[in-house]
Amino acid sequence: MSVLTTDEVLASFEGIQTVAICAHVNPDGDALGSMLALASLLRQKGCEVTCLLAQDRPAPGLYSFLENYDFVSACAYTDTPDLFIAVDVPALSRLGDGEAVFNRALRSLCIDHHPNYSGFADAYYGDDTAAATGTLIWSIIKASGANITPAMASYCYVAVMTDTGRFSYQNTSERTFCDAAEMVACGVDPTLMSQCVYEDKSLAVVKLESRLIERMKFSHQNRVVCSWVNEQDFEELGVSRDDTEGLPTILRSIAGVEVAALLRAEEGVVRVNLRSRGTCDVGQVAQNFGGGGHRAAAGITFETTLEKSIELLLGALDELPCLNETLNESVAAAYES
């Protein structure tokens, strides 16, 4: 599999008129920010661009503060684009409804930072050492010679900020901070970005967090914590799936916890968000069930009950060497406290 250079990516945009951009199902900040940033660049180049959602549901409201926050459900898009760009998607199955558009597009390109890209597109631009797909888009934007607007920089900043957990995860590097500094120089307000994503909770969301904490269950010598929310919670509290994005971080923040799992029962399936401190590879656990992600953050969808989903997940975690090692004294003390 050959990886395009930045110049080759830009060359592939020449002569293109219509472009469809789609990210993975249940898009996060990196997926959405990357799509919007790339769309902005291509529109400057004169392309007609449509940002697609892989599922027939509204875009997450959490990021609606971003300029030109406009998406179309892939199932409602009937055109045949000159170019289909899969963003933050390592496998075709993660495109959801976007797969049908991908199949009829004249050409395809994948831009991604996951370590397990399956080679499904005609061309690929990626780097699994990049903190976020947004950093790859930022490289393309800088090399393009385009007029970099504050909105373009903000899209990329949100992508990087969310995929690094506010620059705290292990994927954060010197390069990450350099990219972020460049984005701020181009007009990003980092305080506003952080407040909009992390510090603008409704009372209903705080109540949802309370339910999450009450339901916590520990296993593997307290190294694993699981909790869950369901559709009844959403209806009673008036919250949506978007409001669950920060919940796994609450679980992982507990001293001694190495793997945190948020299970969300909805629409006849159970969606699992996995987080680790980096010592355990939850990305591999997710791949074993047809999911995807990274070493420290991954996702799975189970088509079964909540109880069975927890059973399957804990059984898979039993196989991780990091959870079978003998506790050292310092970690044991953290558990006891």
PDB file of all heavy atoms in Angstrom, residues 36-65:
ATOM      1  N   LEU A  36     -15.136  19.297   8.034  1.00  0.00           N
ATOM      2  CA  LEU A  36     -15.441  20.708   7.800  1.00  0.00           C
ATOM      3  C   LEU A  36     -14.219  21.473   7.298  1.00  0.00           C
ATOM      4  O   LEU A  36     -14.330  22.333   6.412  1.00  0.00           O
ATOM      5  CB  LEU A  36     -15.965  21.341   9.088  1.00  0.00           C
ATOM      6  CG  LEU A  36     -17.345  20.849   9.550  1.00  0.00           C
ATOM      7  CD1 LEU A  36     -17.642  21.358  10.961  1.00  0.00           C
ATOM      8  CD2 LEU A  36     -18.432  21.294   8.582  1.00  0.00           C
ATOM      9  N   ALA A  37     -13.046  21.150   7.851  1.00  0.00           N
ATOM     10  CA  ALA A  37     -11.821  21.833   7.424  1.00  0.00           C
ATOM     11  C   ALA A  37     -11.489  21.498   5.975  1.00  0.00           C
ATOM     12  O   ALA A  37     -11.153  22.377   5.175  1.00  0.00           O
ATOM     13  CB  ALA A  37     -10.664  21.444   8.341  1.00  0.00           C
ATOM     14  N   LEU A  38     -11.577  20.225   5.631  1.00  0.00           N
ATOM     15  CA  LEU A  38     -11.276  19.812   4.259  1.00  0.00           C
ATOM     16  C   LEU A  38     -12.301  20.382   3.282  1.00  0.00           C
ATOM     17  O   LEU A  38     -11.940  20.815   2.181  1.00  0.00           O
ATOM     18  CB  LEU A  38     -11.262  18.290   4.178  1.00  0.00           C
ATOM     19  CG  LEU A  38     -10.835  17.669   2.851  1.00  0.00           C
ATOM     20  CD1 LEU A  38      -9.435  18.152   2.450  1.00  0.00           C
ATOM     21  CD2 LEU A  38     -10.862  16.150   2.941  1.00  0.00           C
ATOM     22  N   ALA A  39     -13.568  20.412   3.680  1.00  0.00           N
ATOM     23  CA  ALA A  39     -14.606  20.982   2.827  1.00  0.00           C
ATOM     24  C   ALA A  39     -14.333  22.459   2.564  1.00  0.00           C
ATOM     25  O   ALA A  39     -14.498  22.948   1.428  1.00  0.00           O
ATOM     26  CB  ALA A  39     -15.975  20.808   3.474  1.00  0.00           C
ATOM     27  N   SER A  40     -13.907  23.177   3.584  1.00  0.00           N
ATOM     28  CA  SER A  40     -13.604  24.594   3.434  1.00  0.00           C
ATOM     29  C   SER A  40     -12.471  24.816   2.446  1.00  0.00           C
ATOM     30  O   SER A  40     -12.521  25.717   1.594  1.00  0.00           O
ATOM     31  CB  SER A  40     -13.247  25.185   4.804  1.00  0.00           C
ATOM     32  OG  SER A  40     -13.043  26.570   4.725  1.00  0.00           O
ATOM     33  N   LEU A  41     -11.433  23.983   2.534  1.00  0.00           N
ATOM     34  CA  LEU A  41     -10.314  24.083   1.591  1.00  0.00           C
ATOM     35  C   LEU A  41     -10.773  23.815   0.162  1.00  0.00           C
ATOM     36  O   LEU A  41     -10.446  24.575  -0.764  1.00  0.00           O
ATOM     37  CB  LEU A  41      -9.228  23.088   1.986  1.00  0.00           C
ATOM     38  CG  LEU A  41      -8.090  22.903   0.980  1.00  0.00           C
ATOM     39  CD1 LEU A  41      -7.297  24.192   0.808  1.00  0.00           C
ATOM     40  CD2 LEU A  41      -7.174  21.754   1.388  1.00  0.00           C
ATOM     41  N   LEU A  42     -11.524  22.744  -0.044  1.00  0.00           N
ATOM     42  CA  LEU A  42     -11.951  22.369  -1.386  1.00  0.00           C
ATOM     43  C   LEU A  42     -12.907  23.396  -1.985  1.00  0.00           C
ATOM     44  O   LEU A  42     -12.897  23.625  -3.206  1.00  0.00           O
ATOM     45  CB  LEU A  42     -12.599  20.985  -1.356  1.00  0.00           C
ATOM     46  CG  LEU A  42     -11.622  19.832  -1.108  1.00  0.00           C
ATOM     47  CD1 LEU A  42     -12.364  18.539  -0.772  1.00  0.00           C
ATOM     48  CD2 LEU A  42     -10.724  19.623  -2.319  1.00  0.00           C
ATOM     49  N   ARG A  43     -13.719  24.023  -1.164  1.00  0.00           N
ATOM     50  CA  ARG A  43     -14.607  25.082  -1.675  1.00  0.00           C
ATOM     51  C   ARG A  43     -13.808  26.289  -2.126  1.00  0.00           C
ATOM     52  O   ARG A  43     -14.175  26.942  -3.100  1.00  0.00           O
ATOM     53  CB  ARG A  43     -15.632  25.458  -0.603  1.00  0.00           C
ATOM     54  CG  ARG A  43     -16.715  24.395  -0.437  1.00  0.00           C
ATOM     55  CD  ARG A  43     -17.604  24.635   0.763  1.00  0.00           C
ATOM     56  NE  ARG A  43     -18.564  23.544   0.921  1.00  0.00           N
ATOM     57  CZ  ARG A  43     -18.997  23.079   2.077  1.00  0.00           C
ATOM     58  NH1 ARG A  43     -18.548  23.621   3.224  1.00  0.00           N
ATOM     59  NH2 ARG A  43     -19.868  22.084   2.121  1.00  0.00           N
ATOM     60  N   GLN A  44     -12.703  26.579  -1.427  1.00  0.00           N
ATOM     61  CA  GLN A  44     -11.825  27.655  -1.892  1.00  0.00           C
ATOM     62  C   GLN A  44     -11.248  27.332  -3.262  1.00  0.00           C
ATOM     63  O   GLN A  44     -10.976  28.235  -4.058  1.00  0.00           O
ATOM     64  CB  GLN A  44     -10.684  27.882  -0.897  1.00  0.00           C
ATOM     65  CG  GLN A  44     -11.021  28.800   0.252  1.00  0.00           C
ATOM     66  CD  GLN A  44      -9.770  29.328   0.941  1.00  0.00           C
ATOM     67  OE1 GLN A  44      -8.689  29.447   0.340  1.00  0.00           O
ATOM     68  NE2 GLN A  44      -9.910  29.656   2.219  1.00  0.00           N
ATOM     69  N   LYS A  45     -11.092  26.047  -3.551  1.00  0.00           N
ATOM     70  CA  LYS A  45     -10.534  25.625  -4.830  1.00  0.00           C
ATOM     71  C   LYS A  45     -11.618  25.501  -5.907  1.00  0.00           C
ATOM     72  O   LYS A  45     -11.347  25.036  -7.006  1.00  0.00           O
ATOM     73  CB  LYS A  45      -9.802  24.286  -4.666  1.00  0.00           C
ATOM     74  CG  LYS A  45      -8.621  24.357  -3.710  1.00  0.00           C
ATOM     75  CD  LYS A  45      -7.977  23.000  -3.483  1.00  0.00           C
ATOM     76  CE  LYS A  45      -7.153  22.578  -4.678  1.00  0.00           C
ATOM     77  NZ  LYS A  45      -5.980  23.432  -4.903  1.00  0.00           N
ATOM     78  N   GLY A  46     -12.847  25.868  -5.556  1.00  0.00           N
ATOM     79  CA  GLY A  46     -13.922  25.880  -6.536  1.00  0.00           C
ATOM     80  C   GLY A  46     -14.743  24.615  -6.633  1.00  0.00           C
ATOM     81  O   GLY A  46     -15.569  24.472  -7.544  1.00  0.00           O
ATOM     82  N   CYS A  47     -14.551  23.684  -5.716  1.00  0.00           N
ATOM     83  CA  CYS A  47     -15.301  22.424  -5.747  1.00  0.00           C
ATOM     84  C   CYS A  47     -16.671  22.579  -5.090  1.00  0.00           C
ATOM     85  O   CYS A  47     -16.858  23.392  -4.186  1.00  0.00           O
ATOM     86  CB  CYS A  47     -14.527  21.328  -5.014  1.00  0.00           C
ATOM     87  SG  CYS A  47     -12.922  20.923  -5.737  1.00  0.00           S
ATOM     88  N   GLU A  48     -17.602  21.766  -5.559  1.00  0.00           N
ATOM     89  CA  GLU A  48     -18.900  21.650  -4.899  1.00  0.00           C
ATOM     90  C   GLU A  48     -18.788  20.495  -3.906  1.00  0.00           C
ATOM     91  O   GLU A  48     -18.628  19.343  -4.299  1.00  0.00           O
ATOM     92  CB  GLU A  48     -19.994  21.360  -5.923  1.00  0.00           C
ATOM     93  CG  GLU A  48     -21.374  21.195  -5.330  1.00  0.00           C
ATOM     94  CD  GLU A  48     -22.408  20.803  -6.365  1.00  0.00           C
ATOM     95  OE1 GLU A  48     -22.233  21.158  -7.556  1.00  0.00           O
ATOM     96  OE2 GLU A  48     -23.385  20.122  -5.995  1.00  0.00           O
ATOM     97  N   VAL A  49     -18.875  20.809  -2.627  1.00  0.00           N
ATOM     98  CA  VAL A  49     -18.573  19.831  -1.582  1.00  0.00           C
ATOM     99  C   VAL A  49     -19.795  19.576  -0.706  1.00  0.00           C
ATOM    100  O   VAL A  49     -20.483  20.514  -0.295  1.00  0.00           O
ATOM    101  CB  VAL A  49     -17.411  20.307  -0.693  1.00  0.00           C
ATOM    102  CG1 VAL A  49     -17.030  19.218   0.308  1.00  0.00           C
ATOM    103  CG2 VAL A  49     -16.211  20.700  -1.534  1.00  0.00           C
ATOM    104  N   THR A  50     -20.043  18.298  -0.421  1.00  0.00           N
ATOM    105  CA  THR A  50     -21.096  17.903   0.503  1.00  0.00           C
ATOM    106  C   THR A  50     -20.491  17.057   1.612  1.00  0.00           C
ATOM    107  O   THR A  50     -19.815  16.062   1.342  1.00  0.00           O
ATOM    108  CB  THR A  50     -22.193  17.088  -0.204  1.00  0.00           C
ATOM    109  OG1 THR A  50     -22.700  17.833  -1.319  1.00  0.00           O
ATOM    110  CG2 THR A  50     -23.343  16.786   0.762  1.00  0.00           C
ATOM    111  N   CYS A  51     -20.724  17.468   2.855  1.00  0.00           N
ATOM    112  CA  CYS A  51     -20.275  16.684   4.002  1.00  0.00           C
ATOM    113  C   CYS A  51     -21.403  15.736   4.407  1.00  0.00           C
ATOM    114  O   CYS A  51     -22.524  16.179   4.683  1.00  0.00           O
ATOM    115  CB  CYS A  51     -19.921  17.596   5.172  1.00  0.00           C
ATOM    116  SG  CYS A  51     -18.418  18.569   4.923  1.00  0.00           S
ATOM    117  N   LEU A  52     -21.101  14.461   4.415  1.00  0.00           N
ATOM    118  CA  LEU A  52     -22.110  13.437   4.660  1.00  0.00           C
ATOM    119  C   LEU A  52     -22.007  12.871   6.072  1.00  0.00           C
ATOM    120  O   LEU A  52     -20.915  12.794   6.647  1.00  0.00           O
ATOM    121  CB  LEU A  52     -21.948  12.291   3.663  1.00  0.00           C
ATOM    122  CG  LEU A  52     -22.008  12.639   2.181  1.00  0.00           C
ATOM    123  CD1 LEU A  52     -21.775  11.386   1.343  1.00  0.00           C
ATOM    124  CD2 LEU A  52     -23.350  13.272   1.827  1.00  0.00           C
ATOM    125  N   LEU A  53     -23.148  12.449   6.597  1.00  0.00           N
ATOM    126  CA  LEU A  53     -23.201  11.720   7.856  1.00  0.00           C
ATOM    127  C   LEU A  53     -23.456  10.255   7.562  1.00  0.00           C
ATOM    128  O   LEU A  53     -24.327   9.926   6.747  1.00  0.00           O
ATOM    129  CB  LEU A  53     -24.300  12.278   8.757  1.00  0.00           C
ATOM    130  CG  LEU A  53     -24.089  13.714   9.245  1.00  0.00           C
ATOM    131  CD1 LEU A  53     -25.330  14.202   9.970  1.00  0.00           C
ATOM    132  CD2 LEU A  53     -22.868  13.809  10.161  1.00  0.00           C
ATOM    133  N   ALA A  54     -22.721   9.390   8.214  1.00  0.00           N
ATOM    134  CA  ALA A  54     -22.793   7.961   7.926  1.00  0.00           C
ATOM    135  C   ALA A  54     -24.070   7.304   8.435  1.00  0.00           C
ATOM    136  O   ALA A  54     -24.334   6.146   8.125  1.00  0.00           O
ATOM    137  CB  ALA A  54     -21.578   7.244   8.524  1.00  0.00           C
ATOM    138  N   GLN A  55     -24.855   8.050   9.216  1.00  0.00           N
ATOM    139  CA  GLN A  55     -26.118   7.532   9.737  1.00  0.00           C
ATOM    140  C   GLN A  55     -27.209   8.570   9.520  1.00  0.00           C
ATOM    141  O   GLN A  55     -26.936   9.770   9.427  1.00  0.00           O
ATOM    142  CB  GLN A  55     -26.006   7.224  11.237  1.00  0.00           C
ATOM    143  CG  GLN A  55     -25.059   6.091  11.571  1.00  0.00           C
ATOM    144  CD  GLN A  55     -24.478   6.249  12.961  1.00  0.00           C
ATOM    145  OE1 GLN A  55     -23.683   7.140  13.211  1.00  0.00           O
ATOM    146  NE2 GLN A  55     -24.883   5.380  13.871  1.00  0.00           N
ATOM    147  N   ASP A  56     -28.439   8.117   9.449  1.00  0.00           N
ATOM    148  CA  ASP A  56     -29.568   9.015   9.231  1.00  0.00           C
ATOM    149  C   ASP A  56     -30.016   9.606  10.562  1.00  0.00           C
ATOM    150  O   ASP A  56     -31.070   9.262  11.098  1.00  0.00           O
ATOM    151  CB  ASP A  56     -30.726   8.262   8.556  1.00  0.00           C
ATOM    152  CG  ASP A  56     -31.840   9.207   8.115  1.00  0.00           C
ATOM    153  OD1 ASP A  56     -31.587  10.425   8.058  1.00  0.00           O
ATOM    154  OD2 ASP A  56     -32.955   8.729   7.849  1.00  0.00           O
ATOM    155  N   ARG A  57     -29.174  10.481  11.094  1.00  0.00           N
ATOM    156  CA  ARG A  57     -29.489  11.177  12.342  1.00  0.00           C
ATOM    157  C   ARG A  57     -28.785  12.532  12.304  1.00  0.00           C
ATOM    158  O   ARG A  57     -27.811  12.716  11.565  1.00  0.00           O
ATOM    159  CB  ARG A  57     -29.039  10.369  13.557  1.00  0.00           C
ATOM    160  CG  ARG A  57     -27.555  10.109  13.596  1.00  0.00           C
ATOM    161  CD  ARG A  57     -27.104   9.470  14.914  1.00  0.00           C
ATOM    162  NE  ARG A  57     -27.768   8.215  15.185  1.00  0.00           N
ATOM    163  CZ  ARG A  57     -27.382   7.381  16.150  1.00  0.00           C
ATOM    164  NH1 ARG A  57     -26.340   7.691  16.915  1.00  0.00           N
ATOM    165  NH2 ARG A  57     -28.019   6.243  16.341  1.00  0.00           N
ATOM    166  N   PRO A  58     -29.254  13.502  13.062  1.00  0.00           N
ATOM    167  CA  PRO A  58     -28.634  14.830  13.040  1.00  0.00           C
ATOM    168  C   PRO A  58     -27.176  14.793  13.484  1.00  0.00           C
ATOM    169  O   PRO A  58     -26.761  13.909  14.235  1.00  0.00           O
ATOM    170  CB  PRO A  58     -29.497  15.636  14.021  1.00  0.00           C
ATOM    171  CG  PRO A  58     -30.788  14.894  14.114  1.00  0.00           C
ATOM    172  CD  PRO A  58     -30.434  13.449  13.954  1.00  0.00           C
ATOM    173  N   ALA A  59     -26.420  15.772  13.034  1.00  0.00           N
ATOM    174  CA  ALA A  59     -25.032  15.898  13.491  1.00  0.00           C
ATOM    175  C   ALA A  59     -25.029  16.214  14.985  1.00  0.00           C
ATOM    176  O   ALA A  59     -25.938  16.884  15.491  1.00  0.00           O
ATOM    177  CB  ALA A  59     -24.324  17.003  12.719  1.00  0.00           C
ATOM    178  N   PRO A  60     -24.022  15.748  15.717  1.00  0.00           N
ATOM    179  CA  PRO A  60     -23.957  16.016  17.156  1.00  0.00           C
ATOM    180  C   PRO A  60     -24.050  17.501  17.474  1.00  0.00           C
ATOM    181  O   PRO A  60     -23.299  18.319  16.925  1.00  0.00           O
ATOM    182  CB  PRO A  60     -22.586  15.455  17.550  1.00  0.00           C
ATOM    183  CG  PRO A  60     -22.324  14.384  16.544  1.00  0.00           C
ATOM    184  CD  PRO A  60     -22.905  14.903  15.264  1.00  0.00           C
ATOM    185  N   GLY A  61     -24.981  17.841  18.361  1.00  0.00           N
ATOM    186  CA  GLY A  61     -25.176  19.242  18.709  1.00  0.00           C
ATOM    187  C   GLY A  61     -24.020  19.852  19.467  1.00  0.00           C
ATOM    188  O   GLY A  61     -23.880  21.070  19.519  1.00  0.00           O
ATOM    189  N   LEU A  62     -23.177  19.013  20.052  1.00  0.00           N
ATOM    190  CA  LEU A  62     -22.060  19.495  20.861  1.00  0.00           C
ATOM    191  C   LEU A  62     -21.153  20.439  20.079  1.00  0.00           C
ATOM    192  O   LEU A  62     -20.578  21.371  20.644  1.00  0.00           O
ATOM    193  CB  LEU A  62     -21.250  18.289  21.370  1.00  0.00           C
ATOM    194  CG  LEU A  62     -20.006  18.580  22.203  1.00  0.00           C
ATOM    195  CD1 LEU A  62     -20.370  19.319  23.488  1.00  0.00           C
ATOM    196  CD2 LEU A  62     -19.271  17.289  22.526  1.00  0.00           C
ATOM    197  N   TYR A  63     -21.026  20.189  18.772  1.00  0.00           N
ATOM    198  CA  TYR A  63     -20.089  20.981  17.964  1.00  0.00           C
ATOM    199  C   TYR A  63     -20.796  21.993  17.060  1.00  0.00           C
ATOM    200  O   TYR A  63     -20.186  22.543  16.133  1.00  0.00           O
ATOM    201  CB  TYR A  63     -19.224  20.042  17.114  1.00  0.00           C
ATOM    202  CG  TYR A  63     -18.477  19.032  17.935  1.00  0.00           C
ATOM    203  CD1 TYR A  63     -18.926  17.712  18.049  1.00  0.00           C
ATOM    204  CD2 TYR A  63     -17.332  19.390  18.642  1.00  0.00           C
ATOM    205  CE1 TYR A  63     -18.249  16.780  18.824  1.00  0.00           C
ATOM    206  CE2 TYR A  63     -16.653  18.472  19.423  1.00  0.00           C
ATOM    207  CZ  TYR A  63     -17.115  17.165  19.509  1.00  0.00           C
ATOM    208  OH  TYR A  63     -16.435  16.255  20.287  1.00  0.00           O
ATOM    209  N   SER A  64     -22.050  22.255  17.341  1.00  0.00           N
ATOM    210  CA  SER A  64     -22.830  23.144  16.464  1.00  0.00           C
ATOM    211  C   SER A  64     -22.381  24.602  16.540  1.00  0.00           C
ATOM    212  O   SER A  64     -22.836  25.431  15.750  1.00  0.00           O
ATOM    213  CB  SER A  64     -24.320  23.044  16.811  1.00  0.00           C
ATOM    214  OG  SER A  64     -24.561  23.416  18.157  1.00  0.00           O
ATOM    215  N   PHE A  65     -21.505  24.927  17.467  1.00  0.00           N
ATOM    216  CA  PHE A  65     -20.962  26.282  17.534  1.00  0.00           C
ATOM    217  C   PHE A  65     -19.999  26.565  16.377  1.00  0.00           C
ATOM    218  O   PHE A  65     -19.667  27.722  16.109  1.00  0.00           O
ATOM    219  CB  PHE A  65     -20.243  26.510  18.874  1.00  0.00           C
ATOM    220  CG  PHE A  65     -19.033  25.633  19.069  1.00  0.00           C
ATOM    221  CD1 PHE A  65     -17.780  26.051  18.649  1.00  0.00           C
ATOM    222  CD2 PHE A  65     -19.150  24.389  19.668  1.00  0.00           C
ATOM    223  CE1 PHE A  65     -16.664  25.246  18.828  1.00  0.00           C
ATOM    224  CE2 PHE A  65     -18.041  23.574  19.857  1.00  0.00           C
ATOM    225  CZ  PHE A  65     -16.802  24.003  19.437  1.00  0.00           C
TER     226      PHE A  65
END
